[in-house]
Amino acid sequence: MMKRFIRICGKIKYLGLLGLPGLFLEYRLFDFLWLFWLLGFVEIFYNFPVFLQSLKQLWGMLVVPLRYGSLIPDANNYRCQVKYSLPFKESWAVVNGGVDKKSSHSWDIPTQRYAYDFLMLDESGKSCVSDGNKASDYYCYGKDVLAPADGEVIEAVCGYPDSLILGNGRADCSARDIRGNHILIRHSQREYSLLAHLQPGSIGAKIGDIVKRGQVIARCGNSGNSSEPHLHFQLQDGPSFFSSAGLPIEFENISSAPMSSYSAYDPRALPSATDQQGNYIVRSQSVANM
């Protein structure tokens, strides 16, 4: 019930736009309409920690460019100290991610610039059975999540619930962290991998554990800022999710191929051949460890 109220407030607040003429015309009605913007505070205080994380992301968008200048890591100037495996078994689809601005997961957020979102699609391009109202309807939900390389677990957060599935790509973060349940692994001095949106209660590693490539460490879920079950995977140059620079991920011993049914899932224009560079993978591909 409360969730529904918050969503309604989030929509009604835009009635405040009708108060814009009040900047030029003196009518009490316009002053009244401006008050609808106050409903935005209902959203903020309902999940204040997530609001603070949004502010931290804005801070990171300033700090990373200042730290690196024109040398922010990219596919041309950075080579991974470690080569990575895909953090799952079987074949999954890349539904977000690449190494250039056109295919990037979140180009303007430096930490997530080279992140990937993975899930499983069937031959018709669907990610779930039935109507997809439940997390368990999705093919990838509960699937094993693997360590992408040897490393030390330096952060392991579990206990958040799966988020509601609203449909149409809308996200409803039920956790106090946009990552939801997640694991952060240090693979080398400047390479940390983050695996996020994990299933509640599924994390099988704790801080200080040494994990090996291919080791099962959790299961895929829908916790955090997630519109449907999927696995978020990224590489960053430090432990901070908010102020580290994202790194392009070089994989080894994997297969990749375009998905003929991908357009049924994602209506966006498909990446061109020039977007598919070297050892990097890109949205619309089916990928698997060899």
Side-chain angles (χ1 to χ4, degrees):
M1 194 67 178
M2 177 58 73
K3 286 278 189 181
R4 179 176 295 180
F5 173 70
I6 298 300
R7 290 198 295 271
I8 291 173
C9 288
K11 293 177 180 178
I12 294 178
K13 71 181 179 184
Y14 291 108
L15 289 175
L17 290 172
L18 298 177
L20 284 174
L23 296 173
F24 313 101
L25 303 172
E26 294 186 7
Y27 287 102
R28 294 283 297 178
L29 175 62
F30 295 131
D31 293 337
F32 172 75
L33 290 170
W34 270 117
L35 294 177
F36 280 104
W37 284 118
L38 295 178
L39 292 174
F41 287 100
V42 176
E43 293 180 293
I44 290 173
F45 289 109
Y46 177 73
N47 201 335
F48 193 65
V50 167
F51 173 70
L52 289 180
Q53 287 187 332
S54 298
L55 296 180
K56 289 180 180 179
Q57 285 189 316
L58 289 174
W59 174 248
M61 291 167 67
L62 296 174
V63 169
V64 173
L66 286 174
R67 178 151 49 97
Y68 279 96
S70 61
L71 295 177
I72 293 179
D74 62 30
N76 297 314
N77 66 24
Y78 187 82
R79 287 293 171 267
C80 286
Q81 299 169 357
V82 176
K83 296 298 187 293
Y84 295 87
S85 300
L86 294 164
F88 44 76
K89 304 171 185 176
E90 305 175 83
S91 294
W92 290 46
V94 185
V95 295
N96 278 309
V99 294
D100 62 11
K101 188 172 184 177
K102 290 186 295 182
S103 59
S104 171
H105 176 286
S106 303
W107 187 263
D108 294 323
I109 302 176
T111 300
Q112 300 182 52
R113 178 166 291 183
Y114 304 109
Y116 289 102
D117 287 335
F118 298 103
L119 50 71
M120 302 181 83
L121 297 177
D122 61 22
E123 292 181 355
S124 62
K126 289 193 62 177
S127 59
C128 61
V129 297
S130 186
D131 51 15
N133 289 331
K134 305 188 301 295
S136 57
D137 290 340
Y138 290 79
Y139 300 122
C140 67
Y141 187 77
K143 294 288 187 178
D144 288 341
V145 172
L146 315 178
D150 297 353
E152 179 184 359
V153 176
I154 64 167
E155 193 172 330
V157 175
C158 198
Y160 288 125
D162 282 325
S163 294
L164 296 176
I165 299 173
L166 304 178
N168 298 320
R170 294 175 296 165
D172 179 65
C173 187
S174 298
R176 298 308 196 200
D177 190 310
I178 58 177
R179 295 164 291 184
N181 304 312
H182 62 275
I183 296 178
L184 184 67
I185 305 172
R186 179 171 55 216
H187 302 286
S188 68
Q189 185 176 0
R190 291 189 59 223
E191 291 185 4
Y192 298 72
S193 68
L194 173 72
L195 301 107
H197 308 313
L198 305 175
Q199 188 182 55
S202 72
I203 294 180
K206 62 184 183 298
I207 294 175
D209 282 357
I210 303 300
V211 295
K212 297 296 183 182
R213 183 189 303 269
Q215 178 181 333
V216 177
I217 54 176
R219 291 191 296 274
C220 181
N222 192 49
S223 58
N225 193 45
S226 176
S227 58
E228 69 174 90
H230 71 283
L231 177 63
H232 176 101
F233 175 53
Q234 68 180 54
L235 197 64
Q236 56 196 55
D237 71 349
S240 173
F241 176 65
F242 304 102
S243 59
S244 300
L247 303 172
I249 308 172
E250 292 183 83
F251 294 96
E252 65 177 1
N253 298 323
I254 71 167
S255 62
S256 63
M259 294 193 69
S260 58
S261 61
Y262 184 79
S263 294
Y265 174 81
D266 184 353
R268 293 175 293 176
L270 294 175
S272 65
T274 57
D275 296 326
Q276 303 177 28
Q277 304 177 23
N279 295 325
Y280 303 108
I281 58 178
V282 69
R283 179 176 63 86
S284 79
Q285 289 182 324
S286 172
V287 295
N289 290 311
M290 294 175 61

